[in-house]
Amino acid sequence: RDAVMSNLADERSPGAAQVTAASNGSERVSVEIADAARLAGIRSHWTDLLGRAAAPNVFMDPALVGVAAAIEPHATHRALLAWKTMDGRDTLVGIWSFAVARPRRSILPMQTIVVPAFAHGYLATPVIDRDHLDETLDAMLDGIASERDLPKIITLDTMGAGEPTYEALRRVLAARGAAPCVFDQMRRPKLASTLDGKAYLESALSSSTRKKLRQHRRKLSEKGFLVSTVSTEPEPVRDALEQFLAMEMSGWKGREGTALASNETDAAYMRGAIAALAAQGDASIHSIYLDGKPVSMQLVVRAGSATFTWKTAYDEAFQDFSPGMLLLEDYTAAFLADKRIAFVDSCSYDDTGYMSAWQERREVADLWIDARRGGSLEFRALSGLQKAYREARATAKALYLQWRKSRKGK
């Protein structure tokens, strides 16, 4: 292994793992594979990096790795940390958190590097200094390739596509002779506008839709005291989260077993993640209450100038009043009034649903990549099998939905 390492490597905690280095650039980028204990000590570096990042991503926050590691102590939750000497000091230029596990949405019995590291993460893009994208990605891939205990296939679920980091990754992979396998590309709603809330919603929603929402809000307020709130401090956020979990569990997700509270690990992770982010001022919960009881709620998290609408829930007893859309009106206005926010990622799976009221879109892609230079026969064979499997599932789903539609017509 390359012996050229940053002096910082000698000072890193026992939780810091192996260090490697990239050979490109006038100053080498050194990469360490860090565990939760090591990541707990880089908060100031993370905050500084967010100000220089090409793509801020809350799902790469070091605190979330710590939460996942505490809940699943026998699993491998790690992060690649990339360092570069700039202006005489070691500077964090990249972080890419991951887990070692079976790939999601796959039947292949294999271990891969999975990003995001936890099931409820919605963006796989690493957080990298915008001025050092290519060399940092190259060093990160070398770090994985040279570590014998890590898998070499990296599975990326919903990585931002058509963005600087994605384009840099494609360039680096091409230079390494390791073509990616891209499965799907999708568009999901995003909020990014200089308009205020009133002007934006007037542009985004038809006059008839806005009239209907005003009627819903008025009729709902006739049932009791209606108020829209935002919880931002750790204790109120914690209390609001418990209400969120209970409300989600009482609805269709609870009946189908997909609510967060249906799974002890999922609920523990969400409690830990929201608590950790709220302690940093990076989590809030927007809610509409009727006589002190929640009607609809939205979990919101942030990283630097990027905000993410993570999870949403509503009381199905009030579904005729469009509670999700009423709340969307409220937090859309709040986001657009907050000058610290550059954009809001909806975290939606696709371009459908009520959040499609937002006019801007973010391209995301599911892909697998090989960390090895030159690629490998193993990667080409396994990614080919995965592509065939996903295409077969998509075809089967389309046929099933077509059959259901035909049955309803009879």
Side-chain angles (χ1 to χ4, degrees):
R1 183 172 302 170
D2 197 323
V4 180
M5 302 175 183
S6 163
N7 290 334
L8 183 63
D10 297 329
E11 302 170 6
R12 292 170 186 164
S13 72
Q18 303 76 16
V19 181
T20 185
S23 59
N24 50 348
S26 57
E27 292 289 343
R28 296 190 178 213
V29 174
S30 64
V31 175
E32 62 174 308
I33 302 167
D35 65 8
R38 166 66 179 139
L39 294 169
I42 67 159
R43 172 58 43 188
S44 62
H45 293 285
W46 162 254
T47 302
D48 180 61
L49 174 60
L50 287 174
R52 296 176 278 112
N57 182 0
V58 72
F59 301 112
M60 297 295 124
D61 193 304
L64 300 189
V65 178
V67 172
I71 292 170
E72 299 177 318
H74 302 298
T76 301
H77 291 278
R78 298 287 186 270
L80 295 165
L81 300 181
W83 303 87
K84 185 178 177 72
T85 301
M86 296 192 291
D87 299 324
R89 68 184 184 92
D90 290 297
T91 302
L92 185 66
V93 292
I95 180 168
W96 207 353
S97 63
F98 64 89
V100 175
R102 287 185 58 169
R104 300 186 183 107
R105 289 185 286 173
S106 178
I107 59 173
L108 296 175
M110 55 187 283
Q111 294 288 293
T112 65
I113 287 181
V114 175
V115 187
F118 37 89
H120 297 285
Y122 293 103
L123 191 65
T125 306
V127 177
I128 299 177
D129 188 311
R130 66 178 71 91
D131 294 328
H132 303 279
L133 285 168
D134 292 53
E135 61 183 316
T136 300
L137 285 163
D138 198 32
M140 286 176 157
L141 294 176
D142 278 345
I144 294 171
S146 65
E147 176 48 52
R148 66 180 183 181
D149 293 331
L150 287 179
K152 308 311 172 199
I153 295 177
I154 306 169
T155 64
L156 303 171
D157 294 326
T158 58
M159 180 175 180
E163 300 176 359
T165 306
Y166 185 77
E167 296 306 317
L169 179 61
R170 293 185 71 92
R171 286 193 302 271
V172 169
L173 290 171
R176 296 168 69 93
C181 182
V182 180
F183 301 114
D184 294 305
Q185 285 195 237
M186 301 147 285
R187 300 167 76 245
R188 66 191 190 195
K190 181 178 81 168
L191 178 66
S193 176
T194 58
L195 297 176
D196 62 23
K198 182 175 183 297
Y200 185 88
L201 291 169
E202 286 177 350
S203 173
L205 303 175
S206 67
S207 58
S208 60
T209 297
R210 298 198 308 276
K211 180 180 179 181
K212 179 66 70 174
L213 290 173
R214 288 194 299 271
Q215 292 172 344
H216 286 331
R217 196 179 292 267
R218 185 185 70 250
K219 290 179 180 179
L220 198 55
S221 66
E222 291 171 356
K223 293 182 174 292
F225 180 64
L226 190 71
V227 62
S228 183
T229 69
V230 185
S231 302
T232 58
E233 295 300 315
E235 187 171 347
V237 167
R238 181 195 64 195
D239 294 341
L241 177 62
E242 293 305 317
Q243 293 178 319
F244 177 95
L245 294 173
M247 185 165 61
E248 185 188 54
M249 189 66 181
S250 69
W252 67 269
K253 288 186 178 180
R255 293 190 294 274
E256 293 188 2
T258 59
L260 291 165
S262 299
N263 183 290
E264 185 176 329
T265 300
D266 288 345
Y269 175 78
M270 190 58 65
R271 289 186 176 105
I274 291 294
L277 293 172
Q280 303 165 184
D282 291 328
S284 58
I285 300 181
H286 291 246
S287 310
I288 290 179
Y289 286 91
L290 179 64
D291 288 339
K293 295 182 179 180
V295 173
S296 58
M297 307 183 82
Q298 177 70 58
L299 308 187
V300 177
V301 291
R302 63 186 300 163
S305 62
T307 295
F308 300 79
T309 48
W310 197 358
K311 294 283 185 178
T312 189
Y314 64 91
D315 187 334
E316 291 182 359
F318 299 98
Q319 62 184 356
D320 292 342
F321 298 92
S322 302
M325 275 299 296
L326 294 180
L327 186 58
L328 179 138
E329 285 187 309
D330 296 344
Y331 60 66
T332 296
F335 293 152
L336 292 174
D338 190 339
K339 301 307 178 185
R340 299 170 299 171
I341 298 175
F343 69 91
V344 186
D345 187 330
S346 68
C347 296
S348 298
Y349 284 110
D350 54 31
D351 201 18
T352 62
Y354 70 89
M355 295 198 80
S356 62
W358 286 352
Q359 299 299 286
E360 299 73 42
R361 295 295 179 265
R362 184 174 203 175
E363 300 281 345
V364 293
D366 292 345
L367 65 154
W368 286 13
I369 62 176
D370 194 336
R372 292 161 287 206
R373 292 182 181 272
S376 65
L377 178 60
E378 176 197 32
F379 175 80
R380 290 189 290 272
L382 292 173
S383 61
L385 287 171
Q386 176 67 5
K387 193 173 186 70
Y389 169 70
R390 288 183 63 141
E391 289 174 350
R393 282 197 61 177
T395 300
K397 181 178 179 181
L399 290 172
Y400 172 71
L401 292 175
Q402 185 178 7
W403 174 80
R404 282 190 60 183
K405 185 177 180 180
S406 67
R407 294 285 293 177
K408 287 182 180 180
K410 293 182 178 181

